[in-house]
């Protein structure tokens, strides 16, 4: 059963990865770059500040730092535990795929980009849902695009993304709940 799942995952990866063309490579490399969305994060922090105030923003910054550290460390733990080679290092896959990323890490299960972007989307979307009811849907779409970029550039399988997005959603919700608790105790909450 696991072998069949891995085979299907590989086939879906090759199909999706090979949809790419040189005309779109620059866009997808920009989407997958770590610093591309710093302005989005700054806007989200500004919206949190605007709606909750400075004291609460300081709580959010600490909680977000903890959330990103948590998702990164758990992602690394899974990568080292499962040791699933990235597609760009997998025999029988790397010769059939398009690889345009700047580098190819050793292991790829599960995607840190997917988990971090989804955690941020869930966290910010839930914190701001009272004020911007459609923001969470925009952020979920953004997270899915970031996740797909990892297939496009050739460094993650679809299953890596599904697991990363799922873990990110759980993490984002947990840290949202932690923020509500801390806001009730130490800050101002309007949520």
């Amino acid at each position: 059963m696991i072998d069949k799942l891995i085979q299907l995952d590989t086939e879906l990866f090759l199909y999706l990865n090979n949809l790419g063309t040189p005309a779109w490579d620059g866009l997808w490399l920009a989407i997958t770059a770590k610093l591309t969305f710093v302005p989005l994060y700054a806007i989200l922090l500004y919206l949190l500040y605007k709606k909750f105030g400075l004291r609460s923003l300081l709580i959010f910054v600490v909680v977000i730092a903890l959330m990103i550290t948590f998702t990164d460390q758990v992602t690394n733990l899974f990568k080292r535990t499962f040791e699933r080679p990235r597609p760009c290092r997998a025999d029988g896959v790397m010769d059939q795929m398009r690889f345009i990323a700047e580098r190819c890490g050793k292991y790829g299960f599960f995607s840190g980009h997917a988990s971090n972007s989804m955690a941020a989307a869930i966290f910010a979307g839930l914190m701001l849902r009272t004020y911007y009811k459609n923001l969470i849907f925009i952020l979920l779409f953004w997270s899915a695009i970031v996740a797909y970029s990892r297939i496009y550039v050739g460094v993650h399988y679809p299953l890596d993304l599904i697991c990363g997005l799922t873990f990110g959603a759980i993490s984002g919700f947990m840290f949202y709940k932690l923020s509500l608790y801390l806001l009730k105790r130490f800050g101002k909450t309007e949520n």
Side-chain angles (χ1 to χ4, degrees), residues 22-23 38 45 47 81 97 100 119 135-137 145 151 158 178 182 186:
V38 168
L45 285 173
L47 292 176
T81 300
M97 61 174 276
I100 63 164
L135 178 63
I136 193 164
F137 300 110
I145 294 295
I151 291 173
L178 175 63
L182 293 173
F186 304 108

Side-chain angles (χ1 to χ4, degrees), residues 17 20 24 26 39 41 45 64 66-67 70 91 106 127-128 138 148 155 157 163 172 177:
N17 172 263
W24 291 98
Y41 301 138
L45 285 173
I64 291 167
L66 289 171
M67 179 178 70
F70 175 74
D91 292 332
K106 197 169 185 178
M127 288 307 306
L128 293 165
I138 294 166
Y148 174 74
V155 296
Y157 294 100
C163 292
K177 287 295 198 178

Side-chain angles (χ1 to χ4, degrees), residues 13 36 42 54 57 70 113 123:
F13 165 78
T36 298
L54 182 60
L57 178 64
F70 175 74
H113 278 72
F123 178 85

Side-chain angles (χ1 to χ4, degrees), residues 65-76:
L66 289 171
M67 179 178 70
I68 298 303
T69 301
F70 175 74
T71 57
D72 273 345
Q73 294 309 306
V74 173
T75 298
N76 289 333

Side-chain angles (χ1 to χ4, degrees), residues 110-111 114-115 117-118 143-144 147 160-170:
F110 52 83
S111 168
S115 64
S117 65
M118 181 58 80
S143 179
D160 299 345
L161 304 181
I162 291 167
C163 292
L165 290 168
T166 302
F167 178 73
I170 293 166

